Amino acid sequence: MLKINNLHASVEDKTILRGINLEVKAGEVHAIMGPNGSGKSTLASVIAGKEEYEVTEGNILLDNEDIEELSPEERAHKGVFLSFQYPVEIPGVSVTNFMKTAINETRKAKGLEDMPANEMLKLIREKSELLEIDRKFLSRSLNEGFSGGEKKRNEIFQMAMLEPKLAILDETDSGLDIDALRIVANGVNKLKSKDNAVIVITHYQRLLDHIVPDFVHVLYNGRIVKSGGKELAHQLEEKGYDWIKEEVNA
Amino acid sequence: MSLKDKLVSSFLAFENHVDIDSKVHDIRTEAIKTFENKGFPTKKDEAWKYTSLNSVLKHDYSVFPKQENALAYSDVKKYFIHDIDTYKIVLVDGKYSSHLSQTTHDGIDVCLMSAALSKPKYQLIIENYFNKVATKDGLTSLNTAFSKEGAYIHIPKNKVVAKPIEIVHFSTGNEAALMLQPRNLIVVDENSHVQIIERHQSVTDNPVLTNSVTEIVANKRAIVDYYKVQNDNLNASLIDNTFVEQKRESHVSVHTFSFGGKLTRNNLNFYQNGEYMDSTLNGVTIIGDKQHVDHNTLVHHIEPNCESHQDYKGIFTDNATGVFNGKVIVNKEAQKTNAFQSNNNILLSDKATINSKPQLEIFADDVKCSHGCTIGQLDDSALFYMKSRGIPEKEAKGLLMYAFSNNVLSSVKIPELKQRITKLIANKLGVNIGFDL
């Protein structure tokens, strides 16, 4: 589904990604771990199409199509979803209205009519129940005054509404207490199918206890320096990243 | 001959049309002298530093329309809030249009200024309130000198007016260039409540300059909600001079929606004569092209325990220019005043300009006064967030700008008007948002 070949990317002339190779197939869950500043969030933003990042070498293929020239919204229409590490506050736009707009714009891009209002309401009700989101929450301004946990839960609610092909969860576990972590992980697991894929970016093992990865990759200094199964995450949890750094530098 | 000279010399001819025995005659005569002395403001006047009237004063305006020009209702229907029943005072080229209007004398007076100025039964109100709260600057005096027609609204005590009142001024292009001097007086007595919508609309490309004066008096515990819809075409300019006098425990709000016109200047003045009242001054300005909108506000806190809230949002694109000059005066006696002022602006192009100037003159020591001003662009991180959810750039920008003006929009108390303004904003931003805010 997603194939990243020798990807180099920079922001303001500073090179951050230095040759990433990654293949994610439908039905798989990949975890990307790594120390601070290794380029994890940059990789997520580059896949989602953030304009500040410049791809200087390599390419990103989604279903064999190079998506580098596509705008973030076009990528979203093709099924890419990024759960933000720091979701942006948008005062004056309610969660519900934001989702209505996002869904209908995506449908429009696919040549479909707007979703009928009753269907939309049903979908919102169903997905908000999945994430144990209160109805009142949906009429609040998007992310404005939300707690860290509410913001992350809202991100996964949006994911549930949009049903992406490829979901990238950027540090979704940060700022979550154990209950919220369970709710969020449960939501992600329920959305998983053989047709979609998830990339989980995280520092810590604890989210991976709930969302079990098929592959774990360690990102360091803009490259994937080690890949393995879920046991690699346990190793990292125990030993930290220093041994990886030593291996690389040796 | 300059416009000023033309106006001064037209005054005698104007007087032939009006009753020179009335008391108002003396007021008019005094006013034309004041205008002759002061003339039009120039950029040398501090309050007009960022707004030049030169480009609008250069036309050879007719100062009285020669003949009546009828407009068919079907042609102008769209300018009214037709989803609901309203009282209407409609003037076409400065003259009363009886077939477009719906006035009343049933318990309240919603009628014409010309009637109020000439008929004995209104004499007491005119003596008490006409040209009292209005200041005596050049432009207001000019209007006073030629004051003849406009809206006269008197709501006696303990009346809640069930229907909004629309005051609509049309200009038809019957004259090559037309100058209008509408004069409105609104007196709302104890415990009464009224909602008013005012609009100036040119249906021609001929230049129009309107120098309007509105005096509003809100007596004890009165509630007045006033909405100004300024969405005129690019050949029409408006100088709106509005003066509000509030008495104890009254609530007055003025919303100004400025989306159109060549040059628009809003002089909005509030005088708080009493305790425990509040004044709300809200505005949304969305302009482009070479349009210019200037909000010049004054709130004068005279007595203790009162509040004022000002919230002005502006979105400027192309070569548009905006001005916000918000003055708050708190007298020494006006302790426990809460005065808040906020002016937020978004510039969408490199050539758009906004000059924002808060002016606080506080002489009391136990008050809460704040002002905040922001000038910026749309937030890139918010745009990326929205785009990553599949919302295209244009719609994302539209949604952000909607959200930006939402605070002001949400305080509009007439649902049909709110819907209308939402649509105007959508048109102005060129987006179709699939919901009402």
Side-chain angles (χ1 to χ4, degrees):
Chain A
M1 175 188 290
L2 178 75
K3 202 160 188 301
I4 298 176
N5 299 308
N6 190 29
L7 183 70
H8 287 67
S10 58
V11 61
E12 289 169 355
D13 293 331
K14 201 179 148 214
T15 303
I16 298 181
L17 302 182
R18 302 160 190 273
I20 302 258
N21 291 295
L22 179 68
E23 183 169 5
V24 178
K25 296 200 175 86
E28 292 177 350
V29 176
H30 288 243
I32 294 178
M33 304 181 76
N36 277 334
S38 57
K40 300 189 299 292
S41 287
T42 299
L43 177 62
S45 297
V46 170
I47 298 171
K50 194 167 188 178
E51 280 98 343
E52 288 98 297
Y53 294 95
E54 198 194 339
V55 173
T56 50
E57 222 183 310
N59 58 22
I60 305 171
L61 304 176
L62 184 73
D63 294 331
N64 297 318
E65 185 195 354
D66 191 336
I67 58 170
E68 201 208 313
E69 295 298 316
L70 299 184
S71 65
E73 58 269 34
E74 287 167 325
R75 296 180 198 209
H77 298 155
K78 290 189 182 297
V80 176
F81 178 88
L82 171 62
S83 168
F84 280 56
Q85 183 178 3
Y86 303 109
V88 183
E89 298 191 3
I90 306 191
V93 180
S94 71
V95 176
T96 303
N97 282 338
F98 182 66
M99 278 334 296
K100 279 185 194 169
T101 309
I103 284 184
N104 284 330
E105 288 297 340
T106 301
R107 290 174 67 99
K108 202 200 280 174
K110 291 176 180 165
L112 298 170
E113 296 276 296
D114 279 4
M115 185 181 279
N118 55 347
E119 220 176 288
M120 181 78 76
L121 282 175
K122 201 172 145 247
L123 188 66
I124 290 174
R125 200 183 314 128
E126 197 183 299
K127 303 299 185 184
S128 57
E129 276 167 16
L130 175 68
L131 287 147
E132 301 179 30
I133 285 173
D134 193 79
R135 284 185 92 103
K136 275 183 238 150
F137 182 86
L138 298 171
S139 54
R140 284 171 61 188
S141 281
L142 188 63
N143 292 322
E144 193 184 30
F146 287 16
S147 69
E150 285 173 330
K151 282 184 183 169
K152 295 302 171 70
R153 217 190 293 181
N154 180 42
E155 291 292 287
I156 304 305
F157 166 68
Q158 293 181 33
M159 173 183 160
M161 291 289 292
L162 293 164
E163 299 186 326
K165 195 186 287 175
L166 173 71
I168 306 161
L169 313 184
D170 188 5
E171 307 264 359
T172 297
D173 49 342
S174 67
L176 290 187
D177 63 29
I178 192 71
D179 289 329
L181 187 75
R182 184 185 47 76
I183 293 166
V184 162
N186 181 41
V188 174
N189 287 330
K190 287 228 171 96
L191 297 167
K192 248 170 56 184
S193 77
K194 62 177 177 36
D195 301 318
N196 60 28
V198 182
I199 297 175
V200 181
I201 292 175
T202 182
H203 266 294
Y204 305 106
Q205 160 66 25
R206 63 174 197 155
L207 181 64
L208 304 180
D209 287 339
H210 299 273
I211 306 172
V212 182
D214 300 300
F215 300 95
V216 174
H217 310 278
V218 180
L219 195 62
Y220 177 59
N221 216 0
R223 284 192 196 93
I224 290 178
V225 294
K226 203 169 187 64
S227 295
K230 63 184 175 201
E231 65 288 346
L232 179 56
H234 289 286
Q235 243 176 315
L236 292 167
E237 182 78 1
E238 266 170 48
K239 305 204 293 193
Y241 290 105
D242 287 349
W243 64 283
I244 300 244
K245 291 183 192 169
E246 278 162 28
E247 261 186 40
V248 172
N249 295 333
Chain B
M1 186 163 39
S2 76
L3 182 59
K4 181 186 162 187
D5 295 340
K6 184 174 182 176
L7 285 159
V8 171
S9 61
S10 304
F11 183 69
L12 282 178
F14 169 78
E15 279 196 308
N16 291 334
H17 297 272
V18 292
D19 176 13
I20 57 163
D21 293 328
S22 80
K23 293 198 175 164
V24 178
H25 170 72
D26 296 337
I27 297 174
R28 288 188 184 115
T29 311
E30 192 62 35
I32 195 70
K33 281 186 202 148
T34 308
F35 173 69
E36 198 171 359
N37 263 328
K38 296 187 178 170
F40 289 105
T42 69
K43 288 183 100 169
K44 285 181 192 144
D45 296 285
E46 185 60 28
W48 290 82
K49 197 172 165 189
Y50 300 108
T51 297
S52 167
L53 289 176
N54 287 345
S55 69
V56 298
L57 297 180
K58 67 178 187 206
H59 298 289
D60 186 21
Y61 293 105
S62 301
V63 290
F64 326 109
K66 289 175 199 74
Q67 62 194 53
E68 289 184 39
N69 193 2
L71 280 176
Y73 178 64
S74 56
D75 293 337
V76 295
K77 190 171 169 240
K78 62 180 175 184
Y79 301 115
F80 296 101
I81 309 291
H82 48 78
D83 311 327
I84 39 167
D85 190 15
T86 58
Y87 295 114
K88 294 176 186 69
I89 299 168
V90 182
L91 293 112
V92 176
D93 293 336
K95 290 208 156 74
Y96 176 56
S97 166
S98 61
H99 79 282
L100 292 176
S101 298
Q102 194 199 337
T103 58
T104 185
H105 294 289
D106 184 12
I108 58 174
D109 288 311
V110 177
C111 62
L112 292 175
M113 189 59 140
S114 54
L117 289 174
S118 58
K119 291 183 183 166
K121 73 173 202 181
Y122 303 109
Q123 199 180 336
L124 193 62
I125 296 280
I126 293 295
E127 271 177 27
N128 285 339
Y129 297 110
F130 179 79
N131 207 39
K132 289 293 192 292
V133 63
T135 55
K136 311 295 179 273
D137 63 281
L139 285 164
T140 307
S141 299
L142 170 64
N143 176 287
T144 303
F146 290 97
S147 57
K148 183 184 174 196
E149 201 54 286
Y152 172 84
I153 297 168
H154 177 219
I155 315 295
K157 68 178 182 183
N158 304 328
K159 295 262 181 203
V160 174
V161 183
K163 303 193 269 185
I165 300 168
E166 290 184 86
I167 305 171
V168 186
H169 299 267
F170 289 110
S171 43
T172 64
N174 218 13
E175 315 278 337
L178 179 65
M179 184 167 186
L180 295 168
Q181 314 271 1
R183 178 75 173 216
N184 306 315
L185 176 63
I186 293 140
V187 178
V188 184
D189 287 341
E190 260 183 71
N191 301 323
S192 288
H193 180 193
V194 66
Q195 296 176 312
I196 298 166
I197 302 161
E198 179 190 342
R199 182 162 192 158
H200 300 264
Q201 190 64 48
S202 170
V203 293
T204 164
D205 288 336
N206 290 350
V208 180
L209 172 59
T210 302
N211 176 41
S212 165
V213 171
T214 302
E215 292 179 283
I216 301 170
V217 180
N219 283 309
K220 197 170 158 187
R221 287 192 294 275
I223 303 173
V224 182
D225 296 312
Y226 204 102
Y227 302 94
K228 293 172 185 286
V229 182
Q230 302 174 339
N231 190 33
D232 218 335
N233 71 33
L234 290 176
N235 297 299
S237 293
L238 171 67
I239 302 164
D240 179 310
N241 308 280
T242 297
F243 303 92
V244 183
E245 181 176 25
Q246 285 187 248
K247 300 284 169 58
R248 189 183 171 87
E249 292 165 62
S250 62
H251 302 269
V252 178
S253 71
V254 174
H255 284 71
T256 308
F257 295 98
S258 309
F259 307 138
K262 173 187 167 77
L263 179 149
T264 306
R265 162 79 174 212
N266 288 297
N267 294 315
L268 180 57
N269 305 279
F270 275 75
Y271 304 93
Q272 293 189 335
N273 274 318
E275 290 192 59
Y276 302 103
M277 68 178 82
D278 67 60
S279 310
T280 301
L281 298 79
N282 284 344
V284 177
T285 303
I286 303 175
I287 53 170
D289 219 305
K290 286 182 180 166
Q291 292 177 292
H292 179 86
V293 171
D294 179 348
H295 293 289
N296 193 81
T297 68
L298 165 72
V299 179
H300 195 158
H301 290 272
I302 298 164
E303 294 195 40
N305 300 308
C306 294
E307 294 194 8
S308 66
H309 301 266
Q310 298 190 55
D311 189 357
Y312 280 81
K313 312 279 190 200
I315 299 172
F316 303 89
T317 188
D318 304 332
N319 293 292
T321 50
V323 182
F324 176 78
N325 193 342
K327 191 171 184 175
V328 175
I329 304 174
V330 181
N331 278 16
K332 201 174 156 192
E333 296 74 23
Q335 299 292 4
K336 307 279 181 197
T337 291
N338 288 332
F340 305 106
Q341 186 187 86
S342 146
N343 174 231
N344 307 108
N345 303 286
I346 292 177
L347 299 180
L348 295 176
S349 90
D350 293 343
K351 288 179 182 151
T353 312
I354 170 77
N355 286 291
S356 181
K357 185 178 165 198
Q359 259 180 290
L360 274 62
E361 296 176 15
I362 302 167
F363 301 99
D365 53 14
D366 183 14
V367 300
K368 278 185 202 152
C369 294
S370 71
H371 68 87
C373 160
T374 60
I375 298 170
Q377 283 85 40
L378 287 176
D379 179 1
D380 280 338
S381 58
L383 275 179
F384 174 60
Y385 185 71
M386 300 172 88
K387 286 161 75 175
S388 79
R389 299 299 182 250
I391 303 172
E393 173 138 348
K394 191 177 164 199
E395 279 70 22
K397 283 183 172 171
L399 198 53
L400 280 181
M401 289 189 278
Y402 255 112
F404 176 74
S405 43
N406 190 34
N407 262 2
V408 171
L409 206 55
S410 64
S411 60
V412 172
K413 291 179 198 146
I414 305 172
E416 293 81 1
L417 179 67
K418 190 170 168 177
Q419 217 165 37
R420 171 66 66 92
I421 301 220
T422 304
K423 275 186 195 154
L424 283 177
I425 292 180
N427 282 342
K428 198 71 200 178
L429 299 175
V431 290
N432 181 17
I433 304 291
F435 54 84
D436 293 326
L437 286 170

